Amino acid sequence: MAFLLKLVGKLMRRLSTQDQNFKQVFADLLAFETVSDPELLKTVDQIIADVRQHGDSHVLHLTQQFDRHPAHQFSDLELSQQQLKAAFDGLETDVREALQLAAERIREFHQAQKQDGWQYVDALGNTLGQKVTPLDRVGIYVPGGLASYPSSVLMNAIPAQVAGVLEIIMVVPAPGGELNPLVLAAAHLAGVHRVFTIGGAQAVAALAYGTKTIPAVDKITGPGNRFVAAAKRAVFGQVGIDMIAGPSEILVYAEGDNNAEWLAMDVLSQAEHDTVAQAIFISPDPQLLDDVATAIEQHLAALPKAEIARESIANRGALVLVKDRQEAIDLINQVAPEHLELCLDEAEQMAQSIRHAGAIFMGRHTPEAIGDYCAGPNHVLPTSGTARFSSPLGVYDFQKRSSLIMCSAEGVKSLAKAADLLAQKEDLDAHARSARYRY
Amino acid sequence: MAFLLKLVGKLMRRLSTQDQNFKQVFADLLAFETVSDPELLKTVDQIIADVRQHGDSHVLHLTQQFDRHPAHQFSDLELSQQQLKAAFDGLETDVREALQLAAERIREFHQAQKQDGWQYVDALGNTLGQKVTPLDRVGIYVPGGLASYPSSVLMNAIPAQVAGVLEIIMVVPAPGGELNPLVLAAAHLAGVHRVFTIGGAQAVAALAYGTKTIPAVDKITGPGNRFVAAAKRAVFGQVGIDMIAGPSEILVYAEGDNNAEWLAMDVLSQAEHDTVAQAIFISPDPQLLDDVATAIEQHLAALPKAEIARESIANRGALVLVKDRQEAIDLINQVAPEHLELCLDEAEQMAQSIRHAGAIFMGRHTPEAIGDYCAGPNHVLPTSGTARFSSPLGVYDFQKRSSLIMCSAEGVKSLAKAADLLAQKEDLDAHARSARYRY
């Protein structure tokens, strides 16, 4: 056991805020920069240009080439609503019920996010307001192969559906023509209107610019590989995009009475995603840090994805000893973690001091994995510190606003006078004259 | 006069939805694609890399070089709060009052946009919610020289201030060391915390990554030239950005009793901005189209920026005859204009059918110029059809959300069971086990 412990100590770095070089070491640990690869960008730009020029035929060609898809014509790449429903009906009962529970809870939570317009009449008698409208048409990218998650279908499509989006189009690559029936079942459950079995930069290009068969959408959401991420960045402006997702992260803070085995598994639930995923455990309790380190090693021995998880925690994981809770709060706000677990009695109180986090899981009975599937809130969350300025995917991503202004003949006068003057100061004479006519 | 009219007909293209090739001509008119210039991108990437490496000294160097700024050391590039206040105090009374009126009205409107958090307890006894937090620190880019508009300072800084942003940093280039005192006065009025007289890609890089003197911000908003736009796109992800703005646009729809001179000046108030600005006038009334065309030509004869406006309406303007109001609604939703004026008796009713527009100005006493300065709503609006998926700049751009989840020991059980099952189906064993511990 002593030998194992020593290995653990080496596997997952152990830091203390009292270490002389802590600030630098911790900053280095958090640093993660996606290298922009000029070759990749060139390839993606070319794919987008070709899809814009040749449409369906080029998308079909690339799908045959990259995905080894057996389709002969473009229409072979569209799935029917009947196929989606058949996938749903074919699920084992317990899986279908779990998926339904998840969909219901996600829908309930996202209903609360829906925004309505408003207006008011000012003291001058002018009406001002904000109109809220759903997007007409959105595209949802669902990765194929290993990372083809039905939960992602629900998390992307349900907010769009709740927002009132008129048409939801899903793309999901089908390598070798094979599809995960759970993904199709989730599309059925989430009210997806059309599904195309395409992927990569060609799918993003087709959604952004439209082809003969695929209508151009207004926004593209959902995760993908680096070709997909580069293509989304390239079409940003032509369409809206959600975000460019980085590797998944968890930060677990625990103090007081806790089950180290539970905490260790919560840490590993992020580490198993990806060798560059980041799992950080913070506590003021050195004994708990030891116990969690031991439990992590024990769990790893029995985990199917142990190899990935081990590399993740060796590369980017850390067990951090803090002096007190306030020090932990400061570190958390520095990290702005995608997922944050606060495992202590005063979790709600501590959460009030957290300024930056994608999702905050409070108490000892709220593992992050619940949030991935069925708690209700979205599992598409800002990564790599972007919680400093961005939000979980939500209904608000599928709604947009228009300002409303209606002046009365009397109410406009004092405004027109001020606008006239300010426009003159900005040397915009037509603006000034246009205002002047009204007073 | 007949000769003038004929010229007008040639100056601003005249379309009818009954024209055989209308759809194509109208689509071509709307098409506006910013060409991405590889040389520009390379230059901007290099500037960003140099600023990241050399910080203050490189920003100073480029500011001396590009802006011919007489600064000797970096500290010469920061303005004090006293300088801002002095600029404000030095304004002529009527201008100061106009600026104050604008600031008050913008503040009042944006207060209504502020979002609060919420939470609820579900039927199982679990607490779910959404926490709303302002951004810590934002950077506001204000163009220098000719396009240095005090109104833009108010429109960017006040929403940030209303959101509760802790620190607002403004950058504004000062070519030759010269500054518009109105811009500084507006910064004083809008509660800007620090002002640096720098611009270009170097200012964007300094805000995004921080230097010794300039703290790194979380989001950058505000318009700029193509170097600024390219730099904002490049740092997107490191920080948030508002949008990449295209040329300004107006679409005026009028029917019934209208003053052609007013309408013509409203059209010109966009056209005077930029030779690639777009002004479109739509009506079912051929006589009104004639009258507006005539009035435009008459106004142009007396307009200081006639040359710009003339090129704009010749290049990208149009007078469009529609059969009826419904046809106009369809065209408007196709255009998704930045600014939309609805000059008819039933403006409010018609606005309900508008799905896509940045701001909707209703009635005959609501010229777009009022919205640029002091109506209250923001003048930073989605251009180039991006109103299909994006919103005016608002308080929501300076707030972000975190999901809150707190399960009870009982309430988690059914959720943990479902998560366990779904995680197994996604081959995420640590997720499944982490959930399983809780039931």
Side-chain angles (χ1 to χ4, degrees), chain A residues 257-276:
Chain A
D257 189 30
N258 266 289
N259 186 321
E261 287 190 15
W262 294 15
L263 296 173
M265 196 60 88
D266 295 357
V267 165
L268 289 170
S269 73
Q270 285 310 299
E272 76 173 341
H273 268 301
D274 195 336
T275 56
V276 288

Side-chain angles (χ1 to χ4, degrees), chain A residues 406, chain B residues 255 343-348 364:
Chain A
M406 179 151 152
Chain B
E255 61 167 86
C343 305
L344 69 161
D345 288 335
E346 301 82 8
E348 286 182 288
R364 295 164 176 112

Side-chain angles (χ1 to χ4, degrees), chain B residues 98-142:
Chain B
L99 210 57
Q100 277 174 318
L101 174 73
E104 276 160 31
R105 292 189 58 90
I106 295 167
R107 192 167 285 124
E108 185 187 6
F109 181 84
H110 286 79
Q111 289 283 4
Q113 285 181 336
K114 204 169 168 179
Q115 297 176 358
D116 292 316
W118 45 263
Q119 61 181 47
Y120 64 88
V121 178
D122 70 14
L124 300 169
N126 304 310
T127 301
L128 299 166
Q130 189 170 281
K131 180 181 161 82
V132 178
T133 320
L135 273 61
D136 280 352
R137 194 185 285 129
V138 302
I140 289 174
Y141 191 97
V142 178

Side-chain angles (χ1 to χ4, degrees), chain A residues 118-137:
Chain A
W118 45 263
Q119 60 182 47
Y120 64 89
V121 178
D122 70 15
L124 302 169
N126 303 310
T127 301
L128 300 165
Q130 188 169 280
K131 179 181 161 84
V132 179
T133 321
L135 274 60
D136 280 352
R137 193 186 286 130

